[in-house]
Coordinates of all heavy atoms in Angstrom, one line a residue:
D1 N 0.8 -1.2 0.0 CA 0.0 0.0 0.0 C 0.9 1.3 0.0 O 0.5 2.3 -0.6 CB -0.9 0.0 1.2 CG -2.2 -0.7 0.9 OD1 -2.6 -0.9 -0.3 OD2 -2.9 -1.1 1.9
R2 N 2.0 1.2 0.7 CA 2.8 2.4 0.8 C 3.5 2.6 -0.6 O 3.6 3.7 -1.1 CB 3.9 2.3 1.8 CG 3.4 2.4 3.3 CD 4.5 2.2 4.3 NE 4.0 2.4 5.6 CZ 3.9 3.5 6.3 NH1 4.3 4.6 5.7 NH2 3.4 3.6 7.5
F3 N 3.9 1.5 -1.3 CA 4.5 1.6 -2.6 C 3.4 2.1 -3.6 O 3.7 2.9 -4.5 CB 5.0 0.3 -3.0 CG 5.9 0.4 -4.3 CD1 7.2 0.8 -4.2 CD2 5.4 0.1 -5.5 CE1 8.0 1.0 -5.3 CE2 6.2 0.2 -6.7 CZ 7.5 0.7 -6.5
A4 N 2.2 1.6 -3.5 CA 1.1 2.1 -4.4 C 0.9 3.6 -4.2 O 0.6 4.3 -5.1 CB -0.1 1.3 -4.1
A5 N 1.0 4.1 -2.9 CA 0.8 5.5 -2.6 C 1.9 6.3 -3.3 O 1.6 7.4 -3.8 CB 0.8 5.7 -1.1
F6 N 3.1 5.8 -3.3 CA 4.2 6.5 -3.9 C 3.9 6.6 -5.4 O 4.1 7.7 -6.0 CB 5.5 5.8 -3.7 CG 6.6 6.1 -4.8 CD1 7.2 7.3 -4.8 CD2 6.8 5.1 -5.8 CE1 8.2 7.6 -5.8 CE2 7.8 5.4 -6.8 CZ 8.4 6.6 -6.8
L7 N 3.5 5.5 -6.0 CA 3.3 5.5 -7.5 C 2.1 6.5 -7.8 O 2.2 7.2 -8.8 CB 2.9 4.1 -7.9 CG 3.9 3.0 -7.9 CD1 3.3 1.6 -8.3 CD2 5.1 3.3 -8.8
A8 N 1.1 6.5 -7.0 CA 0.0 7.4 -7.2 C 0.5 8.9 -7.2 O 0.1 9.7 -7.9 CB -1.1 7.2 -6.2
S9 N 1.4 9.1 -6.2 CA 2.0 10.5 -6.1 C 2.8 10.9 -7.3 O 3.0 12.1 -7.6 CB 2.8 10.6 -4.8 OG 4.1 9.9 -5.0
R10 N 3.2 9.9 -8.1 CA 4.0 10.2 -9.3 C 3.1 10.1 -10.5 O 3.6 10.1 -11.7 CB 5.1 9.1 -9.4 CG 6.2 9.3 -8.4 CD 7.1 10.4 -8.9 NE 8.1 10.8 -7.9 CZ 9.2 11.4 -8.1 NH1 9.5 11.7 -9.4 NH2 10.0 11.8 -7.1
G11 N 1.8 10.1 -10.3 CA 0.9 10.2 -11.4 C 0.6 8.9 -12.1 O 0.1 8.8 -13.2
V12 N 1.0 7.7 -11.5 CA 0.8 6.4 -12.2 C -0.7 6.1 -12.1 O -1.3 6.2 -11.0 CB 1.6 5.3 -11.5 CG1 1.3 4.0 -12.0 CG2 3.1 5.6 -11.7
E13 N -1.2 5.7 -13.2 CA -2.6 5.4 -13.3 C -2.9 4.0 -13.9 O -1.9 3.4 -14.4 CB -3.3 6.5 -14.2 CG -3.2 7.9 -13.6 CD -3.9 8.9 -14.6 OE1 -4.0 8.6 -15.8 OE2 -4.2 10.0 -14.1
K14 N -4.1 3.6 -13.9 CA -4.5 2.4 -14.5 C -4.0 2.3 -15.9 O -4.2 3.2 -16.7 CB -6.0 2.2 -14.4 CG -6.6 0.9 -15.0 CD -8.1 0.9 -14.7 CE -8.8 -0.3 -15.3 NZ -10.2 -0.3 -15.1
G15 N -3.3 1.2 -16.3 CA -2.8 1.0 -17.6 C -1.4 1.4 -17.9 O -0.8 1.0 -18.9
D16 N -0.8 2.2 -17.0 CA 0.6 2.6 -17.1 C 1.5 1.4 -17.0 O 1.2 0.5 -16.2 CB 0.9 3.7 -16.1 CG 0.3 5.1 -16.5 OD1 0.0 5.3 -17.6 OD2 0.2 5.9 -15.6
C17 N 2.6 1.4 -17.7 CA 3.6 0.4 -17.6 C 4.7 0.7 -16.7 O 5.4 1.8 -16.9 CB 4.1 0.0 -19.0 SG 3.0 -0.8 -20.1
I18 N 5.0 -0.1 -15.6 CA 6.1 0.1 -14.7 C 6.9 -1.1 -14.7 O 6.4 -2.3 -14.6 CB 5.6 0.3 -13.3 CG1 4.5 1.4 -13.2 CG2 6.7 0.6 -12.3 CD1 5.0 2.8 -13.6
A19 N 8.2 -1.0 -15.0 CA 9.2 -2.1 -15.1 C 9.9 -2.5 -13.9 O 10.2 -1.6 -13.0 CB 10.2 -1.7 -16.2
L20 N 10.1 -3.7 -13.7 CA 10.9 -4.3 -12.6 C 12.2 -4.8 -13.2 O 12.2 -5.8 -14.0 CB 10.1 -5.4 -11.8 CG 8.8 -5.0 -11.2 CD1 8.2 -6.1 -10.5 CD2 9.0 -3.8 -10.3
F21 N 13.3 -4.2 -12.7 CA 14.7 -4.6 -13.2 C 15.5 -5.0 -12.0 O 16.4 -4.3 -11.5 CB 15.3 -3.5 -14.0 CG 16.5 -3.8 -14.7 CD1 16.7 -4.9 -15.5 CD2 17.6 -2.9 -14.7 CE1 17.8 -5.2 -16.2 CE2 18.7 -3.1 -15.4 CZ 18.9 -4.3 -16.2
L22 N 15.2 -6.2 -11.4 CA 15.7 -6.6 -10.1 C 16.0 -8.1 -10.1 O 15.4 -8.9 -10.8 CB 14.6 -6.4 -9.1 CG 14.1 -5.0 -8.7 CD1 12.7 -5.1 -8.0 CD2 15.1 -4.3 -7.9
Q23 N 16.9 -8.4 -9.2 CA 17.1 -9.8 -8.8 C 15.9 -10.2 -7.9 O 15.2 -9.4 -7.4 CB 18.4 -10.0 -8.1 CG 19.6 -9.6 -8.9 CD 20.1 -10.5 -10.0 OE1 19.5 -11.6 -10.2 NE2 21.1 -10.1 -10.7
N24 N 15.8 -11.5 -7.5 CA 14.9 -11.9 -6.5 C 15.1 -11.2 -5.2 O 16.2 -11.2 -4.7 CB 15.0 -13.4 -6.2 CG 14.6 -14.2 -7.4 OD1 14.3 -13.7 -8.5 ND2 14.6 -15.5 -7.3
C25 N 14.1 -10.6 -4.6 CA 14.2 -9.9 -3.3 C 12.8 -9.5 -2.9 O 11.8 -9.5 -3.7 CB 15.0 -8.6 -3.5 SG 14.4 -7.5 -4.7
P26 N 12.6 -9.2 -1.6 CA 11.2 -8.8 -1.2 C 10.7 -7.5 -1.9 O 9.5 -7.4 -2.1 CB 11.4 -8.5 0.3 CG 12.6 -9.3 0.7 CD 13.5 -9.3 -0.5
Q27 N 11.7 -6.6 -2.3 CA 11.3 -5.4 -3.0 C 10.5 -5.8 -4.3 O 9.6 -5.0 -4.7 CB 12.5 -4.6 -3.3 CG 13.2 -4.0 -2.1 CD 14.4 -4.9 -1.6 OE1 14.2 -6.1 -1.5 NE2 15.5 -4.3 -1.5
Y28 N 10.9 -6.9 -4.9 CA 10.3 -7.3 -6.2 C 8.8 -7.6 -5.9 O 7.9 -7.2 -6.6 CB 11.0 -8.6 -6.7 CG 10.6 -8.8 -8.2 CD1 11.6 -8.6 -9.2 CD2 9.4 -9.3 -8.5 CE1 11.2 -8.9 -10.5 CE2 9.1 -9.6 -9.8 CZ 10.0 -9.4 -10.8 OH 9.7 -9.6 -12.1
I29 N 8.5 -8.4 -4.8 CA 7.2 -8.8 -4.5 C 6.3 -7.5 -4.2 O 5.2 -7.4 -4.7 CB 7.2 -9.7 -3.2 CG1 8.2 -10.9 -3.4 CG2 5.8 -10.2 -2.9 CD1 7.8 -11.9 -4.4
I30 N 6.9 -6.7 -3.4 CA 6.2 -5.4 -2.9 C 5.8 -4.6 -4.1 O 4.7 -4.1 -4.3 CB 7.0 -4.7 -1.9 CG1 7.2 -5.5 -0.6 CG2 6.4 -3.3 -1.6 CD1 8.4 -5.0 0.2
A31 N 6.8 -4.3 -5.0 CA 6.6 -3.5 -6.2 C 5.6 -4.1 -7.1 O 4.7 -3.4 -7.7 CB 7.9 -3.2 -6.9
H32 N 5.7 -5.4 -7.3 CA 4.8 -6.1 -8.3 C 3.3 -5.9 -7.9 O 2.5 -5.5 -8.7 CB 5.1 -7.6 -8.2 CG 4.2 -8.5 -9.1 ND1 4.7 -8.9 -10.3 CD2 3.0 -9.0 -8.9 CE1 3.7 -9.7 -10.9 NE2 2.7 -9.7 -10.1
Y33 N 3.0 -6.1 -6.6 CA 1.6 -6.0 -6.2 C 1.2 -4.5 -5.9 O 0.1 -4.1 -6.1 CB 1.4 -6.8 -5.0 CG 1.3 -8.3 -5.3 CD1 2.3 -9.2 -4.8 CD2 0.4 -8.8 -6.2 CE1 2.3 -10.5 -5.2 CE2 0.3 -10.1 -6.5 CZ 1.3 -11.0 -6.0 OH 1.3 -12.3 -6.4
G34 N 2.2 -3.7 -5.6 CA 1.9 -2.2 -5.5 C 1.5 -1.6 -6.8 O 0.6 -0.8 -6.9
I35 N 2.2 -2.0 -7.9 CA 1.9 -1.6 -9.3 C 0.5 -2.0 -9.6 O -0.4 -1.3 -10.1 CB 2.9 -2.2 -10.3 CG1 4.3 -1.6 -10.0 CG2 2.4 -1.9 -11.7 CD1 5.4 -2.3 -10.7
Q36 N 0.2 -3.3 -9.4 CA -1.1 -3.9 -9.8 C -2.3 -3.3 -8.9 O -3.4 -3.3 -9.4 CB -1.1 -5.4 -9.7 CG -0.2 -6.0 -10.8 CD -0.2 -7.5 -10.9 OE1 -0.6 -8.2 -10.0 NE2 0.1 -8.0 -12.1
R37 N -2.0 -2.9 -7.7 CA -3.0 -2.3 -6.8 C -3.6 -1.1 -7.4 O -4.8 -0.7 -7.2 CB -2.5 -2.1 -5.4 CG -3.6 -1.8 -4.4 CD -3.1 -2.2 -3.0 NE -3.2 -3.6 -2.7 CZ -2.9 -4.2 -1.6 NH1 -2.5 -3.4 -0.6 NH2 -2.9 -5.5 -1.4
L38 N -2.8 -0.4 -8.3 CA -3.3 0.8 -9.0 C -4.0 0.5 -10.3 O -4.4 1.4 -11.0 CB -2.2 1.8 -9.1 CG -1.6 2.5 -7.9 CD1 -0.5 3.5 -8.3 CD2 -2.7 3.2 -7.1
G39 N -4.0 -0.8 -10.7 CA -4.5 -1.2 -12.0 C -3.4 -1.0 -13.1 O -3.7 -1.1 -14.3
A40 N -2.2 -0.7 -12.7 CA -1.1 -0.5 -13.6 C -0.6 -1.8 -14.0 O -0.9 -2.9 -13.5 CB 0.0 0.4 -13.0
T41 N 0.4 -1.8 -15.0 CA 0.9 -3.1 -15.6 C 2.3 -3.3 -15.2 O 3.2 -2.4 -15.4 CB 0.7 -3.0 -17.1 OG1 -0.6 -2.7 -17.5 CG2 1.2 -4.2 -17.8
V42 N 2.6 -4.5 -14.7 CA 4.0 -4.9 -14.4 C 4.7 -5.4 -15.7 O 4.2 -6.2 -16.4 CB 4.0 -6.1 -13.4 CG1 5.4 -6.6 -13.1 CG2 3.3 -5.6 -12.0
V43 N 5.9 -4.8 -15.9 CA 6.7 -5.2 -17.0 C 8.0 -5.8 -16.4 O 8.9 -5.0 -16.1 CB 7.0 -4.0 -17.9 CG1 7.9 -4.5 -19.1 CG2 5.7 -3.4 -18.4
P44 N 8.2 -7.1 -16.3 CA 9.4 -7.7 -15.8 C 10.5 -7.7 -16.8 O 10.3 -8.0 -18.0 CB 9.0 -9.1 -15.4 CG 7.8 -9.4 -16.3 CD 7.1 -8.1 -16.6

């Protein structure tokens, strides 16, 4: 939810593409679902 709030503050909206360029880590999980909580699209 905190990550989703950050994305919303940056103007991320439903349908926007946000990329994950990471190794395996908790940050990956958090960002993945934070992006989708706004209806945005995860791009691994």
Side-chain angles (χ1 to χ4, degrees):
D1 274 341
R2 288 178 181 272
F3 192 79
F6 157 75
L7 293 175
S9 75
R10 289 283 170 156
V12 174
E13 299 176 337
K14 183 177 176 179
D16 286 339
C17 289
I18 308 297
L20 300 181
F21 190 42
L22 297 161
Q23 305 283 356
N24 293 4
C25 59
Q27 296 95 309
Y28 196 109
I29 311 290
I30 295 163
H32 179 101
Y33 288 114
I35 294 164
Q36 292 188 337
R37 194 156 282 182
L38 293 181
T41 302
V42 174
V43 182

